[in-house]
Amino acid sequence: MSKPLLRNAHAKAFGHKGLLNNALIQDETLGFYNDKERVAALFQKMEPWQRHCMTLIYNSASRGLTFNELRLTVPVSKCRDLQTFLLEMCREYVLWRSPSTNTSVYYGFANFLGIFDEPLVEAPAVKGADLFYQNLIDWHICEVLALAMTGDLKVNNSNALHRRSYQICTEAFTSARRISEKTAENEVSLIFSFLTGNGWLEQEDACLVPTEKALEFIRKNGFRLHQDLVSWWLKERFRGDRSHCVRLLRMLDKPRTALFASSIFWVLDPTFRLQEKDGLIAWEYLPRPLRELWLLGLVRFTMVGGKVAAVSLEQAGRDWLESSIASVPEQNISCLPNFELIASTGTSPRVLLMLACLAKVENDEVYLRFSLNRESYLRGLKCGIAESEIENFKGWIKPPVNVESTIAEWNSSYYGARVQTVRLLKIENAEVLNELSRFPQFMECANEYIAGYGFVLKPEMESRAFEILTNYGYCPFVERKNVNRSSAPTEEWRKEFVVAWPEAKAPDYELKDTANSETLQTALNSTKYGNNYQKLSTFDLVKVLRYAKTVGALIGAKVKNPTKRGDNEVERSFFVHALKLAKSPQTIEIQPYGSEVPELLELSFIQEVKVYNGRQPQ
């Protein structure tokens, strides 16, 4: 803060005291404005809507909330008072603001955390079904990777997931669809964002295939899959700020109403108006981070009539809060003589991936049921599964004698006769050949030693073998067949996954009014968004109504009144909640000014409109 502004802040707190040195000004000013009792007293004097607004800003932490986002949180009758209130709180140094693109972003101070928390009220007991997801998302990741291995994931010309591939995924996630059809779509977006963000998928021609990085992780570190998924999500949603996530989650230690839980996580996805009264909330109207917490198995929902009534922390969520590691369900797998396998979602992802490739899954629950048959088994082998992995697989499932003998027969039909393209390395110098055959690091790169000739190299270890050969003075030429692979496209599912995060600049110390209301109004009046009544074409009228719905602006309209013959126009003021333009007659859902009861209004009845833009009807 500049010296004049610092002196002004000091004078506001203590009055003018003559000339003071900078150190004293800073010390006294900071001591006054950092006083928590002063801030708590301010909070107690606020109206309920002001308290709620402050709570949301402090819950948003480093993300902050823009003015237009905050307008969606206050009662419609208080919209014009919001900017004055926010500016006053900044001048009291309870908030600070930063200019962003065409708006201001408001933040709280870490010094005052806890002061602006609203009382935590436990949700009343309701009779409903408790739904929680446990580790089903881990299984679904393995299922998606298996679909990629078998060639069932394709992209279209616009680099989006092919319609049929998308349908296969959403239809497989039947547990998610118990809440809503949109739930499976949200999970697809989450999973593909994770896989492409981690470089676990790549594109070969029109197919998505798993990368070696993904398969290596599943083989060696699969036990960390869920933890890595949660850590990635934390980085995406909270920019890696774990303490922020923990603070919000701790508010769900006991069952809370759906509205309260939504308001907690709305600060990360402020794209809609919060309800003003408690009630049931459909999945589609929950903030995206809260939906994803359910998909990650960290919270549970109490459902009534297909809508969310209450939200509470799941045991896995409690474990994650305490140790950064979510609890894993019991690991269990068994193979029955009728060629059925039962495996829990807590089973190692390495095993689940093999089951997804080799067997047909019959359900989508915490305990998965698979059926083995020759067709699905051989289809899985053709994905390129090594024979050693199949031996490990038999050790994991411990099949009965009849199943083991049948699997051995299927293996022999595939591995018993093979056509392979091998790469032979011929060494002319017998002394070097003999020395290399006794070199363990080199033999790790070879499948076989051919006495007097050379070696059969492992394709994946060729580069390592050539590095060793350079130490012997060899630099062999190798004709390579390039596989046309590229990074998997990310844009389509990222559009659905990403939520806005305003980028702030330096703090605004001067705290002047952001715009001269008279100048702004003069400019607006010359447009269709002005404060003067204008007759608009249907196209422009729809644009104005959409603008009013987005920013929560109050609309004035001259509306045709068919009940009166003479004066057939009435003036009405309302807020726009929804536009229903797909069917005839085209209507909009409005909330009349001063009323809480929504109603429908035909678009053709609107003759002229104006936008109040900060002013209210007289």
Side-chain angles (χ1 to χ4, degrees):
M1 185 180 288
S2 66
K3 187 173 180 179
L5 289 175
L6 181 59
R7 286 186 177 277
N8 289 339
H10 182 270
K12 180 180 177 181
F14 298 102
H16 291 283
K17 294 185 177 181
L19 296 177
L20 299 172
N21 64 68
N22 287 344
L24 182 58
I25 291 177
Q26 286 182 343
D27 185 58
E28 288 186 347
T29 307
L30 182 61
F32 176 83
Y33 288 108
N34 197 33
D35 183 5
K36 294 184 178 180
E37 292 184 1
R38 178 189 72 90
V39 176
L42 280 174
F43 186 55
Q44 291 301 318
K45 295 176 183 177
M46 293 179 188
E47 297 180 35
W49 70 269
Q50 294 172 331
R51 293 184 186 182
H52 185 56
C53 184
M54 294 297 293
T55 300
L56 292 173
I57 293 174
Y58 270 81
N59 282 346
S60 70
S62 59
R63 184 201 182 274
L65 291 172
T66 67
F67 175 72
N68 284 337
E69 291 166 347
L70 287 166
R71 288 179 67 176
L72 301 176
T73 71
V74 300
V76 291
S77 59
K78 299 294 183 180
C79 283
R80 65 176 180 177
D81 300 327
L82 178 61
Q83 190 163 6
T84 303
F85 168 71
L86 292 174
L87 186 59
E88 181 60 29
M89 289 301 99
C90 288
R91 287 171 176 167
E92 289 289 343
Y93 301 103
V94 176
L95 300 176
W96 64 278
R97 76 179 184 186
S98 169
S100 185
T101 307
N102 299 324
T103 187
S104 295
V105 190
Y106 294 86
Y107 301 88
F109 292 100
N111 311 50
F112 303 139
L113 279 178
I115 294 178
F116 296 99
D117 292 345
E118 291 184 320
L120 300 178
V121 180
E122 190 170 348
V126 293
K127 292 183 179 179
D130 281 351
L131 295 184
F132 54 100
Y133 216 46
Q134 291 199 10
N135 277 45
L136 270 168
I137 194 169
D138 298 1
W139 153 243
H140 291 157
I141 290 173
C142 295
E143 198 170 14
V144 169
L145 289 174
L147 289 171
M149 291 180 69
T150 55
D152 287 326
L153 290 186
K154 300 181 185 294
V155 292
N156 54 30
N157 293 334
S158 60
N159 284 333
L161 196 62
H162 192 275
R163 181 175 56 83
R164 178 56 186 156
S165 299
Y166 190 85
Q167 184 181 8
I168 290 172
C169 293
T170 53
E171 289 180 351
F173 303 165
T174 54
S175 285
R177 290 159 58 202
R178 288 181 298 173
I179 290 186
S180 165
E181 289 295 326
K182 284 287 185 181
T183 310
E185 297 176 12
N186 291 157
E187 188 175 6
V188 168
S189 172
L190 177 62
I191 288 175
F192 275 88
S193 295
F194 170 70
L195 293 178
T196 55
N198 274 358
W200 283 19
L201 287 177
E202 55 189 357
Q203 185 175 346
E204 181 179 337
D205 296 328
C207 294
L208 294 179
V209 295
T211 61
E212 185 57 36
K213 175 185 176 182
L215 299 178
E216 186 73 7
F217 180 91
I218 296 295
R219 281 195 296 266
K220 295 183 177 180
N221 301 298
F223 64 93
R224 291 198 291 108
L225 175 61
H226 194 78
Q227 179 59 28
D228 274 31
L229 174 63
V230 174
S231 298
W232 169 83
W233 177 82
L234 187 69
K235 181 180 177 182
E236 289 285 329
R237 286 290 178 250
F238 288 85
R239 301 287 177 97
D241 187 354
R242 186 178 186 277
S243 61
H244 184 199
C245 181
V246 168
R247 184 162 66 87
L248 298 185
L249 274 179
R250 287 198 187 279
M251 299 181 193
L252 301 178
D253 59 341
K254 293 183 179 180
R256 310 295 178 193
T257 63
L259 176 60
F260 183 84
S262 290
S263 68
I264 293 173
F265 292 96
W266 176 91
V267 297
L268 297 170
D269 182 22
T271 55
F272 55 92
R273 182 178 289 277
L274 283 171
Q275 290 184 193
E276 295 183 10
K277 296 180 181 179
D278 260 324
L280 306 180
I281 300 181
W283 169 273
E284 293 80 2
Y285 297 103
L286 294 174
R288 182 172 292 275
L290 184 57
R291 297 183 227 168
E292 292 164 352
L293 282 168
W294 185 83
L295 292 171
L296 293 171
L298 300 183
V299 300
R300 70 167 59 202
F301 290 163
T302 301
M303 307 294 296
V304 176
K307 295 184 178 181
V308 182
V311 182
S312 60
L313 206 57
E314 180 55 35
Q315 184 58 47
R318 300 179 195 277
D319 294 340
W320 183 80
L321 290 181
E322 300 302 327
S323 62
S324 297
I325 299 176
S327 56
V328 178
E330 179 185 357
Q331 299 192 32
N332 190 10
I333 185 169
S334 58
C335 184
L336 306 178
N338 63 352
F339 290 85
E340 281 194 351
L341 294 101
I342 308 296
S344 69
T345 54
T347 304
S348 167
R350 184 179 184 183
V351 182
L352 292 177
L353 179 60
M354 291 287 286
L355 285 170
C357 289
L358 298 172
K360 181 181 178 183
V361 63
E362 303 288 351
N363 67 338
D364 187 51
E365 299 172 9
V366 174
Y367 287 95
L368 300 163
R369 188 174 74 254
F370 299 88
S371 62
L372 277 171
N373 59 67
R374 179 185 173 87
E375 182 182 356
S376 65
Y377 191 86
L378 291 179
R379 184 169 183 252
L381 293 182
K382 292 175 183 177
C383 297
I385 300 174
E387 191 171 4
S388 58
E389 280 290 290
I390 295 297
E391 292 301 316
N392 291 332
F393 175 71
K394 288 165 59 178
W396 297 327
I397 65 174
K398 297 180 176 58
V401 175
N402 67 316
V403 177
E404 184 176 14
S405 62
T406 303
I407 288 178
E409 180 184 337
W410 292 343
N411 288 339
S412 65
S413 69
Y414 182 77
Y415 294 113
R418 283 177 279 184
V419 177
Q420 279 188 300
T421 301
V422 298
R423 211 180 273 281
L424 297 178
L425 173 67
K426 184 177 181 181
I427 304 295
E428 300 287 351
N429 189 315
E431 183 179 344
V432 173
L433 176 63
N434 189 38
E435 188 174 339
L436 285 171
S437 66
R438 297 196 303 270
F439 188 14
Q441 282 79 7
F442 185 82
M443 290 306 296
E444 288 179 358
C445 305
N447 279 320
E448 191 175 344
Y449 165 56
I450 305 173
Y453 183 87
F455 305 90
V456 179
L457 294 179
K458 295 178 180 178
E460 68 273 14
M461 300 290 284
E462 278 187 9
S463 59
R464 174 64 179 149
F466 297 153
E467 287 177 12
I468 296 174
L469 285 174
T470 58
N471 296 326
Y472 290 86
Y474 292 107
C475 194
F477 167 75
V478 180
E479 183 182 354
R480 297 183 180 276
K481 181 182 179 182
N482 293 324
V483 179
N484 184 21
R485 286 190 176 184
S486 58
S487 299
T490 61
E491 294 78 11
E492 290 303 316
W493 37 80
R494 289 290 292 180
K495 285 179 186 176
E496 179 71 16
F497 177 75
V498 172
V499 294
W501 187 291
E503 297 299 333
K505 300 178 183 178
D508 178 8
Y509 295 113
E510 297 189 1
L511 298 176
K512 295 180 180 178
D513 288 340
T514 53
N516 184 312
S517 58
E518 293 183 3
T519 304
L520 176 64
Q521 193 59 49
T522 301
L524 281 173
N525 282 338
S526 64
T527 73
K528 56 180 173 285
Y529 302 99
N531 203 36
N532 299 326
Y533 276 117
Q534 296 186 58
K535 190 173 183 65
L536 302 176
S537 67
T538 303
F539 179 76
D540 283 339
L541 177 60
V542 170
K543 288 177 66 175
V544 170
L545 294 174
R546 281 184 176 151
Y547 162 78
K549 174 180 177 292
T550 302
V551 303
L554 185 64
I555 287 285
K558 291 183 179 179
V559 179
K560 186 187 301 182
N561 187 355
T563 62
K564 293 185 179 181
R565 294 183 179 179
D567 183 11
N568 63 349
E569 283 187 359
V570 294
E571 291 192 26
R572 302 193 64 184
S573 303
F574 54 82
F575 295 92
V576 181
H577 280 193
L579 280 71
K580 302 180 179 182
L581 309 177
K583 296 181 180 179
S584 182
Q586 296 177 324
T587 60
I588 60 173
E589 183 181 332
I590 65 171
Q591 180 178 334
Y593 178 70
S595 170
E596 297 293 333
V597 181
E599 61 181 77
L600 293 178
L601 173 65
E602 284 193 28
L603 196 66
S604 60
F605 284 6
I606 300 176
Q607 304 297 301
E608 297 181 357
V609 294
K610 64 180 178 180
V611 182
Y612 279 104
N613 287 306
R615 298 182 181 180
Q616 301 297 324
Q618 301 299 320

